[in-house]
Amino acid sequence: MTSDVVVTAPETAAANGHGDAHTTAGFGALTLGSIGVVYGDIGTSPLYAFREAVMAASGAEGAPTPAAVLGVVSLILWALIVVVTLKYVVILLRADNNGEGGTLALMALAQRAVGTGGATIVLLGIISGALFYGDAVITPALSVLSAVEGMKDVTATFEPYVVPLTVVILVGLFAVQSRGTARVAAFFGPVMCVWFAVIAVVAIHPIIAQPQVLLALNPLYAVSFMLHHGIIGFVTLGAVFLAVTGAEALYADLGHFGKRPIQTAWLFIVLPSLALNYLGQGALVLGDPGAIESPFFQLFPQGLVRGAMVVLATAATVIASQAVITGAYSLTRQAIQLGLLPRFEIRHTSEAHSGQIFIPRINQLLLVAVVLLVLLFRSSSALASAYGISVTGTMVVTAMMGFVVIWKVWKWSPFTAAALILPFLFLDLTFLAANLLKVFEGGWVPLALGSLMILMMYTWRRGSRLLFEKSRKLEFPLADLVAMLEKRPPQRVPGTAVFLTSDPLSAPTALMHSLKHYKVLHEKNVILTIETAQTPRIDPAERVKLEQISPTFSKVTLKFGFMESPNVPKALAIARKLGWQFDIMSTSFFLSRRALKPAAHSGMPRWQDRLFISLSRSANDATDYFQIPSGRVVEVGTQVTI
């Protein structure tokens, strides 16, 4: 069964308020926070990226050659400079939607700029959002597994315990999500600062011992490697991309920390530390080709120091995983608000920060998928093959939507916008093509997960639209009904009735059934519509729109941003200032709860009808989602065929 309340996203958003989008913490605190949350994923890439890339570059030869090592280090360094620094830090961080970033925020911004012809943009947003879930599953599995594998470098007797310990850590990580991340997050920044300092300092000695590794700073080594290694070079590029996974987090967390702190942290701390570590791993392998088995951990002396590094690496990978899990919650809330997913239960874990939320159903699904991945692949090298496709796909889509924003929102000419974005798009497509070579080695996993999410989002959006259109045909025009009721009013009862509906032009089903069965009308009646704007947040002054349509009937429209959780009683309190005497204890909320059945001809295939109906049954109750006191709600049941 599903409630009659469907949140609709209007074509334009009247509000532009976003004063509460950012925290008021100081610049230093925001920079430190961004190091902990934003850079956890990309910061732990040295654990596996260099090793996988050099092993791919070595091909059938087995032992890595100096040319392969220098080529790979050069490719990694220049990927960090071009993809992360230029595309994300310099360009895309400027393409914000009222201070918010991420693919769905970019989709809403681009759709608002394009207007009515935004179907392709919505499809791109659905694809990128769905692929993010693939990333959210693989990142915790790969990063934690690669850190725990460092125990084998301390002593070989630990090898049988790597997979079980990884599963225990991951189960523990997902188990604590319901308590909120505020307390733990306080440690994220300092721990990651220690991590970046350690991986930078430990690389200095190998670089001094093998200074020829600094030749990799010359981009010609990257170009030469690609030109002279044919298909091997292309395969290597897929592994090199592992070094830039996590770049999307830069953009997605824009609203949490702001542009300047994220840029400062990258340019002065994260990029120099990563560059030094990759150069250090390259220098180590140049001196000892056998070190390629585990170049990251072999930078550290055997014994207690290496053991301590395994513990620090595990802590860093848990932080990296936390950032992606939190991102999955935020993305889900945005998708629900933008009408791409059914309502799920959203719990707020912090009174001070509205962005800190927990979604039990998403948490359970992620945990099951992550543990299955670890048990299925059992090593970080095997999992590395599955990584990359979802991230490159998201980057391609981000570049496409970025072009629309630069053209339509920034008002650049299409040729200038294309000149800026096409080189990045070409690079992203090259990385995507290189990663697609890994489909049969494990790359099918994120593609399968992404395809499943695309199907769910597309089905929910399409089914909701068909249901809305069908309901509108069957419903009675509100203006005609109000005129009839004012002319010949039925028996009146004291109090206020609020009827929730997604279509303010038609009489709500709950109102029609109330008149049919109870044959009474309240003294005051409010037709309440809840809209989601294509901006992240709405200024409280523009939250409520009140319209009197007769002496006893009025229309109220509540508008929320796609990053906000709708709180109907709190929003209605604002209506008092507009003249509506609102007392929740003398107000009844009427909702219609619909039981859906597949129709003979619905506009969708039968299997898609069944999927939409099962999704609607899994949707969280509208009373809980809109935070309406359950004791004030009357639900009227109806049956609808779709």
Side-chain angles (χ1 to χ4, degrees), residues 52-73:
E52 296 304 318
V54 172
M55 288 173 89
S58 303
E61 298 168 32
T65 62
V69 172
L70 288 174
V72 164
V73 175

Side-chain angles (χ1 to χ4, degrees), residues 82-420:
V82 176
V83 175
V84 185
T85 310
L86 293 181
K87 181 185 171 187
Y88 282 93
V89 175
V90 175
I91 298 171
L92 280 177
L93 281 185
R94 297 171 186 272
D96 65 298
N97 188 343
N98 286 24
E100 292 293 341
T103 51
L104 288 185
L106 191 64
M107 178 200 86
L109 184 64
Q111 192 185 7
R112 196 164 82 236
V114 170
T116 51
T120 307
I121 301 222
V122 173
L123 181 61
L124 288 174
I126 288 173
I127 291 169
S128 62
L131 288 173
F132 182 86
Y133 287 105
D135 186 21
V137 168
I138 294 174
T139 296
L142 173 60
S143 53
V144 175
L145 189 55
S146 62
V148 177
E149 279 174 348
M151 294 196 315
K152 294 188 293 185
D153 290 300
V154 179
T155 168
T157 55
F158 274 128
E159 189 158 358
Y161 305 105
V162 168
V163 171
L165 185 58
T166 301
V167 171
V168 169
I169 291 169
L170 288 167
V171 169
L173 174 64
F174 282 97
V176 300
Q177 293 302 313
S178 60
R179 302 188 177 205
T181 58
R183 290 177 190 171
V184 189
F187 298 101
F188 284 8
V191 169
M192 291 309 296
C193 279
V194 171
W195 167 263
F196 285 120
V198 169
I199 68 171
V201 169
V202 78
I204 293 171
H205 182 263
I207 294 170
I208 293 170
Q210 300 285 339
Q212 68 268 33
V213 76
L214 295 173
L215 292 169
L217 293 169
N218 185 343
L220 292 177
Y221 278 84
V223 175
S224 173
F225 177 82
M226 291 300 295
L227 291 176
H228 292 98
H229 284 75
I231 190 68
I232 293 286
F234 203 56
V235 172
T236 304
L237 202 59
V240 164
F241 186 78
L242 294 170
V244 296
T245 54
E248 277 289 325
L250 271 169
Y251 188 41
D253 287 310
L254 176 58
H256 291 269
F257 300 102
K259 184 170 64 176
R260 293 284 175 217
I262 291 175
Q263 289 174 329
T264 303
W266 173 256
L267 293 171
F268 294 100
I269 296 170
V270 182
L271 178 59
S273 300
L274 291 175
L276 275 172
N277 190 263
Y278 285 121
L279 286 165
Q281 288 190 52
L284 184 73
V285 176
L286 283 176
D288 175 17
I292 193 58
E293 287 298 316
S294 181
F296 180 83
F297 286 107
Q298 289 194 32
L299 284 171
F300 299 87
Q302 181 66 276
L304 194 62
V305 175
R306 193 174 293 180
M309 196 57 208
V310 172
V311 174
L312 180 60
T314 305
T317 54
V318 166
I319 290 169
S321 305
Q322 178 63 61
V324 179
I325 294 165
T326 307
Y329 298 153
S330 297
L331 183 82
T332 303
R333 179 167 69 173
Q334 290 181 40
I336 292 167
Q337 288 285 72
L338 291 168
L340 300 175
L341 283 175
R343 290 184 301 266
F344 293 139
E345 181 191 356
I346 297 174
R347 295 183 199 165
H348 290 265
T349 57
S350 168
E351 290 181 11
H353 303 284
S354 64
Q356 291 186 13
I357 56 173
F358 170 67
I359 304 179
R361 201 168 301 172
I362 296 297
N363 196 61
Q364 291 162 9
L365 292 172
L366 285 179
L367 172 60
V368 171
V370 168
V371 170
L372 280 175
L373 272 188
V374 171
L375 297 175
L376 184 66
F377 287 90
R378 305 190 72 82
S379 80
S380 60
S381 284
L383 254 175
S385 298
Y387 206 22
I389 290 180
S390 56
V391 188
T392 44
T394 305
M395 285 185 169
V396 167
V397 172
T398 303
M400 290 176 175
M401 291 195 291
F403 165 74
V404 176
V405 169
I406 292 166
W407 171 26
K408 293 285 189 181
V409 180
W410 294 3
K411 308 294 184 190
W412 288 28
S413 77
F415 301 106
T416 316
L420 180 66

Side-chain angles (χ1 to χ4, degrees), residues 20-40:
D20 58 340
H22 298 294
T23 176
T24 53
F27 182 81
L30 288 172
T31 305
L32 184 66
S34 71
I35 292 169
V37 176
V38 177
Y39 294 112

Side-chain angles (χ1 to χ4, degrees), residues 5 478 497-504 508 525-531 544-545 554-560 568-569 571-572 580 589-590 626 628:
V5 186
L478 178 64
V498 177
F499 298 93
L500 273 75
T501 179
S502 57
D503 180 10
N525 299 275
V526 177
I527 310 301
L528 178 63
T529 309
I530 297 166
E531 290 183 348
V544 179
K545 182 183 169 190
S554 56
K555 272 188 201 175
V556 173
T557 304
L558 302 182
K559 194 172 279 191
F560 295 92
V568 168
L572 289 179
W580 180 30
F589 291 85
F590 286 81
F626 295 119
I628 304 168

